[in-house]
Amino acid sequence: MVESRGALAQDGRRRERLELRVPTTATQLPAVRAMAADLAMRMDYDLDAVEDLRLAVDEACATLTLVARGDAPLTVVFETTRAGLHIEAWVPTDDGVDVPQDGFGWAILETLVDAVEGRRATQATVPGGDGSDTPVGVIVLDKYLPGQRPSELGSGAGPNL
């Protein structure tokens, strides 16, 4: 599903949202990686950033498959904004299951994107959810375009170091 009804941003880009729902199997993860790379290329990220996004999405989805309940589908929502690409990936889980945020995989995620968060939520609070209280595990990724990183995330040092 693609949603692009928003007004044009200052740079002429329209805010768009794409939702991809796939089975939580290793054979479907290449489609999610390809979607991330395609969106990043269309947004004019450089080749290194495109590859970083592809790897980050792969790692996030692989992490979520570890906590998915049964054969529940993986949902990935890509949102293009003026600042960059915002990605929310989630899977239904059993009650009380946390998204693993330790180990080498999480360190890779923190290195490849500008912001990453793992948390518990419900389908009522995630994009593309069915509005129910079914628990889900969520990983949120943000990769900003050059010069578009929100100032509240910066060091506050500004250009005069």
Side-chain angles (χ1 to χ4, degrees):
M1 169 171 48
V2 175
E3 183 180 308
S4 61
R5 292 178 280 151
L8 290 176
Q10 289 175 350
D11 61 359
R13 284 197 180 112
R14 196 178 292 278
R15 185 178 190 114
E16 294 186 328
R17 183 172 165 238
L18 176 84
E19 181 180 316
L20 188 60
R21 199 171 301 235
V22 297
T24 52
T25 62
T27 59
Q28 296 302 314
L29 295 184
V32 182
R33 284 194 311 261
M35 181 59 64
D38 183 66
L39 285 171
M41 286 186 282
R42 291 172 189 265
M43 292 180 70
D44 294 328
Y45 282 95
D46 64 35
L47 291 177
D48 288 335
V50 170
E51 190 59 27
D52 288 351
L53 274 164
R54 184 189 331 249
L55 291 170
V57 166
D58 185 61
E59 186 60 40
C61 292
T63 299
L64 289 172
T65 62
L66 299 173
V67 298
R69 185 181 61 219
D71 60 352
L74 167 70
T75 300
V76 185
V77 177
F78 300 91
E79 188 170 358
T80 62
T81 68
R82 185 169 183 258
L85 190 56
H86 177 79
I87 303 165
E88 292 193 41
W90 58 269
V91 292
T93 63
D94 291 323
D95 276 327
V97 172
D98 287 320
V99 174
Q101 297 180 37
D102 56 353
F104 188 65
W106 196 260
I108 288 172
L109 282 175
E110 292 178 325
T111 302
L112 295 173
V113 294
D114 297 309
V116 61
E117 174 192 9
R119 59 181 160 74
R120 281 191 254 176
T122 66
Q123 286 208 25
T125 61
V126 292
D130 64 10
S132 72
D133 289 333
T134 303
V136 296
V138 182
I139 295 180
V140 180
L141 308 171
D142 283 296
K143 183 77 169 177
Y144 303 115
L145 288 162
Q148 296 298 317
R149 186 178 177 99
S151 60
E152 67 270 13
L153 294 177
S155 66
N160 299 323
L161 296 176

